[in-house]
Amino acid sequence: MKKFSLIIAMILCVTIGGVYATWTYTQNIDVADEGVNKVMNLGNVEYSGSYGTYKVDAAGLTLTIDPKAETAHTTALYGTGKIVITFTPNSVAPATVKENAVRSTYALSFANADWKYEGKDIIKVADGHTGSHDIVWTPAGDGTFTFVITADELLKHLSLTEFELDTKVKYDAYNAVLGTGAIVVTVSDGITAQQTT
């Protein structure tokens, strides 16, 4: 079986401000500038003759950094929606693959190894959640298999460092750094291209 490892730097690229609360600063006449971070991704990849293909759909997931409950300016991570991972078997794959999919895992990492604000990590993979996690496939009824990671489940995997953004200058500086990184979801069958040659 040829290796397929899909890396998606998702739109999880955490945005600041949004659904839960508003970052409020005292100012007389200036309308607050707004910047939104958006990540671009490559399309899906497929190996000719492989057992199938993965697709990671994060379009239904939104991660937002808003003020922590009962605070005005302390960062906290919120999320809604879900990530849907799909495995589509190749039409010429063995029957066992068509019936059960392939053993697969997902792992979380960050596109920027130096994703820091004021010398501290913006976000980390939470203790006990590092490494790969098994995917338990559910047949979708059309020959494909799916696995869902809800926003609540994803938040358990992530640990956002709290920062006090008590001025608009700090907010802007934090938002600028936020745009330099992204959360990466890697889905793999554990086989590398070198193992198949």
Side-chain angles (χ1 to χ4, degrees), residues 9 20 24 39 55 80 83-85 92 96 140 155 187:
Y20 297 90
T24 305
V39 172
K55 178 181 178 184
T80 59
I83 300 169
V84 179
I85 301 171
V92 295
T96 185
L155 291 177
V187 179

Side-chain angles (χ1 to χ4, degrees), residues 28 44 49 60 69 84 96 101 139 159 170 191 195:
N28 292 333
N44 293 339
V84 179
T96 185
S159 176
K170 290 181 181 179
I191 300 171
Q195 292 173 309

Side-chain angles (χ1 to χ4, degrees), residues 1-151:
M1 175 176 14
K2 293 188 177 174
K3 191 244 184 196
F4 179 86
S5 179
L6 177 64
I7 298 177
I8 301 280
M10 298 173 302
I11 298 165
L12 307 181
C13 162
V14 196
T15 57
I16 242 190
V19 193
Y20 297 90
T22 301
W23 294 91
T24 305
Y25 299 96
T26 56
Q27 180 69 34
N28 292 333
I29 59 171
D30 184 22
V31 176
D33 297 341
E34 179 75 12
V36 175
N37 301 310
K38 182 89 169 171
V39 172
M40 293 182 289
N41 293 297
L42 292 170
N44 293 339
V45 66
E46 179 178 349
Y47 289 129
S48 175
S50 70
Y51 281 173
T53 57
Y54 293 120
K55 178 181 178 184
V56 179
D57 182 2
L61 180 77
T62 301
L63 294 181
T64 306
I65 297 174
D66 271 326
K68 185 177 178 180
E70 300 183 14
T71 75
H73 301 109
T74 303
T75 57
L77 183 61
Y78 300 93
T80 59
K82 62 189 175 184
I83 300 169
V84 179
I85 301 171
T86 303
F87 173 72
T88 303
N90 191 315
S91 61
V92 295
T96 185
V97 171
K98 292 180 181 178
E99 293 166 5
N100 305 296
V102 292
R103 184 184 178 280
S104 304
T105 61
Y106 73 94
L108 299 175
S109 60
F110 305 102
N112 181 352
D114 194 39
W115 204 11
K116 297 179 185 294
Y117 174 73
E118 294 184 339
K120 297 178 184 175
D121 291 325
I122 294 265
I123 194 168
K124 297 185 287 188
V125 176
D127 292 340
H129 293 269
T130 58
S132 297
H133 307 279
D134 289 334
I135 289 176
V136 179
W137 295 114
T138 299
D142 59 358
T144 65
F145 298 83
T146 60
F147 177 75
V148 173
I149 307 170
T150 65

